[in-house]
Amino acid sequence: MLERVPAYTDAMLAETGTLSDRVYRHLADRLIAGRFAPGDKLSLRAVSEALGLSIMPVREAVSRLAAEGALEVTPKKAITVPLMRAAQFRDITQVRVEIEGFAAATACRMATPESLAGIEAREREFRDLSEQPQADLAQAVAANQAFHFAVYRAAGSAELLAIIERLWLRAGPIINLDLRENPERLRLGGAVQAHRACLAAIREGRADAAREAIASDIRGASTFILSRQRLLD
Amino acid sequence: MLERVPAYTDAMLAETGTLSDRVYRHLADRLIAGRFAPGDKLSLRAVSEALGLSIMPVREAVSRLAAEGALEVTPKKAITVPLMRAAQFRDITQVRVEIEGFAAATACRMATPESLAGIEAREREFRDLSEQPQADLAQAVAANQAFHFAVYRAAGSAELLAIIERLWLRAGPIINLDLRENPERLRLGGAVQAHRACLAAIREGRADAAREAIASDIRGASTFILSRQRLLD
DNA sequence: TGCCGCAATCTGTGATCACAGTTAGCTTCC
DNA sequence: GGAAGCTAACTGTGATCACAGATTGCGGCA
């Protein structure tokens, strides 16, 4: 059986906090960005060696990610990116629609000129990237994330933000890996359209419309992915 | 300065999983049950000694709890139960109202005869405990938690359940510690009434009423606690 | 040529040691 | 009697070692 064991070439770490924190951010970023595929195996020693550390910080980072469901350590002593069944993916999609939709509606009510300007800038960046014929997928993924979190941050709730981050940590490997493998989803423009609608709604203070725009963005990607049937069940 | 450093007398551990998992469950249960007060300090070596282990499993457990915001490790090398400002508590209350309310509404739609029977049983147990003049607070806290999670579990969403558990992990020290110190909140019967209303709503399939009952339960406790001004700010 | 089995390697988990930074308490000096 | 200062104990973090269990790959047998 051929197993994906991704390489760790560009092993850059953040420069603040304990080593454990840095490794955690490193792995979390890569998970959200879809740099790991569901089913990928990690090894403490391989990661620590690639990062030039002992295994201790990696151990703690993996342990945290496992607690959040972003990684799994099986009873057979293997660290894997969780495989998600279609039913689970539908579940997480529904929860995301509810929670991220709520965050968007709240952002609509709490928006300040500064946060609105940030959202506008992120919307423009993502739109520009998407409309390029040969879009850099890594950049597009990052820009999409930047737009969403600009909105969610505008809601002004640290609790909500932490919860949404956890959701992205779990959904990232599926969504963004899919986007890497099916870049035409970008060109179809569903996300651009939803972002534009969300931005307009926030500008005009229509909270329900903002919620609906985010919901349709999430549902659109989810439907696309489920139709590809790359998931179990 | 006198600091609360809680004792670890009844150091019982669950009996499945790795040692780290067991320590995690042990600490998480105590946090949710309000056995720690905000500001309490923990020490890896003290906990590990009380549990009869090396510090490694405790380290991993604390690391996970810190990642979830249930504990804090300060840059000055101290592990503490986070102090929460009033604004933060209001924030988490609002998020709980939204998410746990959504879970209750979903439970209403998804309820089966079995899950309904479980909810009924938990409601009765909590009501019986609350109506005793000298209620055992630890039992009452556990019964309240059992009722809420019976409802949330009935929603059938693992994602939602994990998110709510994280919220309780963070809010538990404040809510249940307050209940221990102000047991009259139990006797006032706000919770019993809300639970009864929630149960009735689920029985009759009124999802919005179920949401509102849970919301009022959460808001009631929150208002009570904020009025006591035991929080910073 | 195909399959079974054994051995070497690699896995996560737990314990122990080392270390720099913090805290606490005692002593000493004013 | 009180405050300052120093030392001893304790803190979390990181590295290293030990170990049991899983995996892998090679060699030999059918």
Side-chain angles (χ1 to χ4, degrees):
Chain A
M1 178 175 166
L2 245 165
E3 268 172 323
R4 263 192 61 135
V5 179
Y8 269 93
T9 47
D10 59 337
M12 197 106 76
L13 285 180
E15 54 290 305
T16 56
T18 69
L19 287 183
S20 297
D21 291 339
R22 296 200 244 168
V23 176
Y24 175 85
R25 275 270 40 108
H26 174 75
L27 293 174
D29 287 345
R30 294 174 74 108
L31 279 164
I32 289 187
R35 303 281 289 273
F36 296 119
D40 278 1
K41 289 175 76 171
L42 298 195
S43 137
L44 294 181
R45 285 170 178 85
V47 175
S48 62
E49 202 168 325
L51 263 40
L53 313 162
S54 88
I55 69 171
M56 275 302 313
V58 181
R59 232 172 121 163
E60 280 204 21
V62 167
S63 163
R64 294 187 212 177
L65 289 164
E68 294 180 307
L71 289 177
E72 243 171 18
V73 348
T74 72
K76 291 139 84 93
K77 303 192 172 202
I79 303 170
T80 67
V81 180
L83 288 170
M84 204 176 285
R85 296 165 179 277
Q88 284 180 284
F89 187 66
R90 270 189 286 268
D91 179 20
I92 202 173
T93 296
Q94 208 170 340
V95 172
R96 286 187 61 208
V97 164
E98 181 69 23
I99 293 179
E100 296 180 39
F102 172 68
T106 305
C108 195
R109 282 184 273 266
M110 306 283 290
T112 64
E114 296 79 38
S115 63
L116 181 58
I119 295 170
E120 281 170 342
R122 301 294 90 70
E123 192 275 334
R124 187 165 351 109
E125 286 163 10
F126 179 70
R127 177 156 38 84
D128 288 349
L129 278 167
S130 298
E131 285 169 354
Q132 285 177 19
Q134 285 293 348
D136 180 328
L137 284 180
Q139 277 189 23
V141 163
N144 178 60
Q145 181 186 353
F147 170 80
H148 277 265
F149 278 86
V151 172
Y152 305 148
R153 208 169 295 115
S157 165
E159 293 297 332
L160 215 44
L161 206 59
I163 290 170
I164 294 173
E165 251 171 58
R166 184 184 177 281
L167 286 168
W168 279 61
L169 221 43
R170 287 179 48 73
I174 298 198
I175 295 178
N176 290 328
L177 174 72
D178 172 88
L179 187 63
R180 282 167 191 278
E181 298 189 345
N182 299 301
E184 68 267 28
R185 204 177 88 210
L186 247 188
R187 254 174 282 126
L188 291 176
V192 171
Q193 209 171 336
H195 290 193
R196 195 198 317 266
C198 178
L199 172 57
I202 294 176
R203 263 207 204 101
E204 301 161 14
R206 294 178 289 119
D208 281 340
R211 168 188 277 117
E212 212 34 63
I214 288 293
S216 111
D217 190 18
I218 296 171
R219 283 206 199 93
S222 170
T223 304
F224 184 93
I225 291 168
L226 284 167
S227 75
R228 293 278 170 154
Q229 274 307 44
R230 292 185 46 81
L231 278 58
L232 276 61
D233 274 19
Chain B
M1 179 175 167
L2 243 165
E3 268 172 320
R4 265 193 59 135
V5 180
Y8 270 93
T9 48
D10 58 338
M12 194 106 77
L13 285 181
E15 55 289 306
T16 56
T18 70
L19 287 182
S20 297
D21 291 338
R22 297 200 243 168
V23 175
Y24 175 85
R25 275 268 44 106
H26 174 75
L27 292 174
D29 287 345
R30 293 174 75 107
L31 279 164
I32 289 187
R35 305 279 291 272
F36 296 118
D40 278 1
K41 289 174 74 171
L42 299 195
S43 138
L44 294 181
R45 286 170 178 85
V47 174
S48 62
E49 201 168 325
L51 263 41
L53 313 162
S54 88
I55 71 171
M56 275 302 313
V58 180
R59 232 171 120 164
E60 281 205 20
V62 167
S63 163
R64 295 187 211 177
L65 289 164
E68 295 178 309
L71 288 178
E72 243 171 19
V73 350
T74 73
K76 290 141 80 97
K77 304 192 172 205
I79 303 170
T80 66
V81 180
L83 289 169
M84 204 176 285
R85 294 165 179 277
Q88 284 180 281
F89 187 65
R90 269 189 287 267
D91 180 19
I92 202 173
T93 297
Q94 207 171 340
V95 172
R96 286 186 61 208
V97 164
E98 181 68 23
I99 294 180
E100 296 180 39
F102 172 66
T106 305
C108 195
R109 282 185 273 265
M110 306 284 290
T112 64
E114 296 79 38
S115 64
L116 181 58
I119 294 170
E120 282 170 342
R122 301 294 91 70
E123 192 275 334
R124 190 173 12 191
E125 286 164 11
F126 179 70
R127 178 155 37 84
D128 289 349
L129 277 168
S130 296
E131 285 168 355
Q132 286 177 20
Q134 284 295 348
D136 180 329
L137 283 181
Q139 276 188 22
V141 164
N144 179 60
Q145 182 186 351
F147 171 80
H148 276 265
F149 277 86
V151 173
Y152 304 148
R153 209 169 292 114
S157 165
E159 292 297 332
L160 216 44
L161 206 59
I163 290 169
I164 294 173
E165 251 171 58
R166 184 184 177 283
L167 286 169
W168 279 59
L169 220 44
R170 285 178 50 71
I174 298 198
I175 295 177
N176 291 326
L177 174 72
D178 172 88
L179 187 63
R180 282 167 192 279
E181 297 189 346
N182 300 301
E184 68 267 28
R185 203 178 86 211
L186 248 189
R187 254 175 283 128
L188 291 176
V192 170
Q193 208 171 337
H195 290 193
R196 197 197 317 265
C198 178
L199 172 58
I202 293 177
R203 264 208 203 101
E204 301 161 15
R206 293 179 291 117
D208 279 342
R211 168 188 278 116
E212 211 35 62
I214 288 293
S216 111
D217 190 19
I218 295 171
R219 283 206 198 91
S222 170
T223 304
F224 184 93
I225 291 168
L226 283 168
S227 75
R228 294 278 168 154
Q229 272 309 43
R230 291 185 46 80
L231 279 56
L232 274 61
D233 275 17

